[in-house]
PDB file of all heavy atoms in Angstrom:
ATOM      1  N   ALA A 124      97.645  80.399  93.907  1.00  0.00           N
ATOM      2  CA  ALA A 124      96.585  79.397  94.383  1.00  0.00           C
ATOM      3  C   ALA A 124      95.907  80.014  95.594  1.00  0.00           C
ATOM      4  O   ALA A 124      94.669  79.705  95.787  1.00  0.00           O
ATOM      5  CB  ALA A 124      97.252  78.078  94.740  1.00  0.00           C
ATOM      6  N   LEU A 125      96.624  80.835  96.389  1.00  0.00           N
ATOM      7  CA  LEU A 125      95.934  81.438  97.564  1.00  0.00           C
ATOM      8  C   LEU A 125      94.912  82.435  97.120  1.00  0.00           C
ATOM      9  O   LEU A 125      93.883  82.619  97.814  1.00  0.00           O
ATOM     10  CB  LEU A 125      97.020  82.063  98.425  1.00  0.00           C
ATOM     11  CG  LEU A 125      97.968  81.113  99.191  1.00  0.00           C
ATOM     12  CD1 LEU A 125      99.234  81.808  99.641  1.00  0.00           C
ATOM     13  CD2 LEU A 125      97.198  80.508 100.381  1.00  0.00           C
ATOM     14  N   LEU A 126      95.143  83.144  96.075  1.00  0.00           N
ATOM     15  CA  LEU A 126      94.190  84.176  95.536  1.00  0.00           C
ATOM     16  C   LEU A 126      92.913  83.466  95.095  1.00  0.00           C
ATOM     17  O   LEU A 126      91.814  83.973  95.348  1.00  0.00           O
ATOM     18  CB  LEU A 126      94.794  85.023  94.457  1.00  0.00           C
ATOM     19  CG  LEU A 126      96.035  85.886  94.845  1.00  0.00           C
ATOM     20  CD1 LEU A 126      96.490  86.645  93.603  1.00  0.00           C
ATOM     21  CD2 LEU A 126      95.647  86.867  95.908  1.00  0.00           C
ATOM     22  N   ARG A 127      93.097  82.381  94.418  1.00  0.00           N
ATOM     23  CA  ARG A 127      91.889  81.653  93.962  1.00  0.00           C
ATOM     24  C   ARG A 127      91.114  81.015  95.085  1.00  0.00           C
ATOM     25  O   ARG A 127      89.829  81.037  95.061  1.00  0.00           O
ATOM     26  CB  ARG A 127      92.306  80.525  92.994  1.00  0.00           C
ATOM     27  CG  ARG A 127      92.992  81.001  91.752  1.00  0.00           C
ATOM     28  CD  ARG A 127      93.151  79.943  90.742  1.00  0.00           C
ATOM     29  NE  ARG A 127      94.178  78.961  91.174  1.00  0.00           N
ATOM     30  CZ  ARG A 127      95.489  79.062  90.859  1.00  0.00           C
ATOM     31  NH1 ARG A 127      95.915  80.116  90.217  1.00  0.00           N
ATOM     32  NH2 ARG A 127      96.357  78.193  91.295  1.00  0.00           N
ATOM     33  N   ALA A 128      91.800  80.644  96.210  1.00  0.00           N
ATOM     34  CA  ALA A 128      91.127  79.983  97.312  1.00  0.00           C
ATOM     35  C   ALA A 128      90.499  80.963  98.268  1.00  0.00           C
ATOM     36  O   ALA A 128      89.499  80.585  98.931  1.00  0.00           O
ATOM     37  CB  ALA A 128      92.121  79.098  98.077  1.00  0.00           C
ATOM     38  N   PHE A 129      91.018  82.222  98.342  1.00  0.00           N
ATOM     39  CA  PHE A 129      90.567  83.152  99.351  1.00  0.00           C
ATOM     40  C   PHE A 129      90.137  84.438  98.619  1.00  0.00           C
ATOM     41  O   PHE A 129      90.961  85.410  98.554  1.00  0.00           O
ATOM     42  CB  PHE A 129      91.632  83.443 100.382  1.00  0.00           C
ATOM     43  CG  PHE A 129      91.950  82.231 101.216  1.00  0.00           C
ATOM     44  CD1 PHE A 129      93.055  81.429 100.904  1.00  0.00           C
ATOM     45  CD2 PHE A 129      91.106  81.803 102.245  1.00  0.00           C
ATOM     46  CE1 PHE A 129      93.366  80.335 101.644  1.00  0.00           C
ATOM     47  CE2 PHE A 129      91.445  80.689 103.071  1.00  0.00           C
ATOM     48  CZ  PHE A 129      92.554  79.934 102.712  1.00  0.00           C
ATOM     49  N   PRO A 130      88.945  84.542  98.178  1.00  0.00           N
ATOM     50  CA  PRO A 130      88.493  85.824  97.459  1.00  0.00           C
ATOM     51  C   PRO A 130      88.436  86.992  98.391  1.00  0.00           C
ATOM     52  O   PRO A 130      88.442  88.136  97.877  1.00  0.00           O
ATOM     53  CB  PRO A 130      87.083  85.414  96.955  1.00  0.00           C
ATOM     54  CG  PRO A 130      86.618  84.350  97.856  1.00  0.00           C
ATOM     55  CD  PRO A 130      87.886  83.537  98.177  1.00  0.00           C
ATOM     56  N   GLY A 131      88.504  86.850  99.710  1.00  0.00           N
ATOM     57  CA  GLY A 131      88.526  87.969 100.612  1.00  0.00           C
ATOM     58  C   GLY A 131      89.852  88.436 100.975  1.00  0.00           C
ATOM     59  O   GLY A 131      89.980  89.404 101.809  1.00  0.00           O
ATOM     60  N   LEU A 132      90.895  87.849 100.446  1.00  0.00           N
ATOM     61  CA  LEU A 132      92.240  88.240 100.818  1.00  0.00           C
ATOM     62  C   LEU A 132      92.539  89.688 100.432  1.00  0.00           C
ATOM     63  O   LEU A 132      92.268  90.179  99.347  1.00  0.00           O
ATOM     64  CB  LEU A 132      93.289  87.316 100.097  1.00  0.00           C
ATOM     65  CG  LEU A 132      94.563  87.012 100.784  1.00  0.00           C
ATOM     66  CD1 LEU A 132      94.314  86.252 102.101  1.00  0.00           C
ATOM     67  CD2 LEU A 132      95.454  86.114  99.900  1.00  0.00           C
ATOM     68  N   ARG A 133      93.137  90.407 101.424  1.00  0.00           N
ATOM     69  CA  ARG A 133      93.479  91.841 101.185  1.00  0.00           C
ATOM     70  C   ARG A 133      94.979  92.021 101.101  1.00  0.00           C
ATOM     71  O   ARG A 133      95.427  92.993 100.400  1.00  0.00           O
ATOM     72  CB  ARG A 133      92.950  92.689 102.347  1.00  0.00           C
ATOM     73  CG  ARG A 133      91.366  92.668 102.442  1.00  0.00           C
ATOM     74  CD  ARG A 133      90.912  93.216 103.787  1.00  0.00           C
ATOM     75  NE  ARG A 133      91.276  94.597 103.912  1.00  0.00           N
ATOM     76  CZ  ARG A 133      91.180  95.275 105.041  1.00  0.00           C
ATOM     77  NH1 ARG A 133      90.816  94.598 106.174  1.00  0.00           N
ATOM     78  NH2 ARG A 133      91.551  96.497 105.141  1.00  0.00           N
ATOM     79  N   GLU A 134      95.792  91.186 101.672  1.00  0.00           N
ATOM     80  CA  GLU A 134      97.201  91.268 101.706  1.00  0.00           C
ATOM     81  C   GLU A 134      97.917  89.961 101.358  1.00  0.00           C
ATOM     82  O   GLU A 134      97.481  88.958 101.966  1.00  0.00           O
ATOM     83  CB  GLU A 134      97.753  91.824 102.967  1.00  0.00           C
ATOM     84  CG  GLU A 134      97.296  93.218 103.322  1.00  0.00           C
ATOM     85  CD  GLU A 134      97.931  93.808 104.581  1.00  0.00           C
ATOM     86  OE1 GLU A 134      98.944  93.262 105.026  1.00  0.00           O
ATOM     87  OE2 GLU A 134      97.465  94.840 105.110  1.00  0.00           O
ATOM     88  N   LEU A 135      98.842  89.935 100.490  1.00  0.00           N
ATOM     89  CA  LEU A 135      99.597  88.757 100.151  1.00  0.00           C
ATOM     90  C   LEU A 135     101.090  89.094 100.040  1.00  0.00           C
ATOM     91  O   LEU A 135     101.462  90.072  99.426  1.00  0.00           O
ATOM     92  CB  LEU A 135      99.166  88.149  98.813  1.00  0.00           C
ATOM     93  CG  LEU A 135      99.995  86.917  98.341  1.00  0.00           C
ATOM     94  CD1 LEU A 135      99.847  85.782  99.292  1.00  0.00           C
ATOM     95  CD2 LEU A 135      99.578  86.506  96.925  1.00  0.00           C
ATOM     96  N   GLY A 136     101.940  88.363 100.856  1.00  0.00           N
ATOM     97  CA  GLY A 136     103.335  88.605 100.909  1.00  0.00           C
ATOM     98  C   GLY A 136     104.097  87.327 100.638  1.00  0.00           C
ATOM     99  O   GLY A 136     103.632  86.239 101.015  1.00  0.00           O
TER     100      GLY A 136
END
Side-chain angles (χ1 to χ4, degrees):
L125 288 163
L126 297 179
R127 295 189 292 272
F129 296 98
L132 213 61
R133 297 166 64 194
E134 297 187 12
L135 177 62

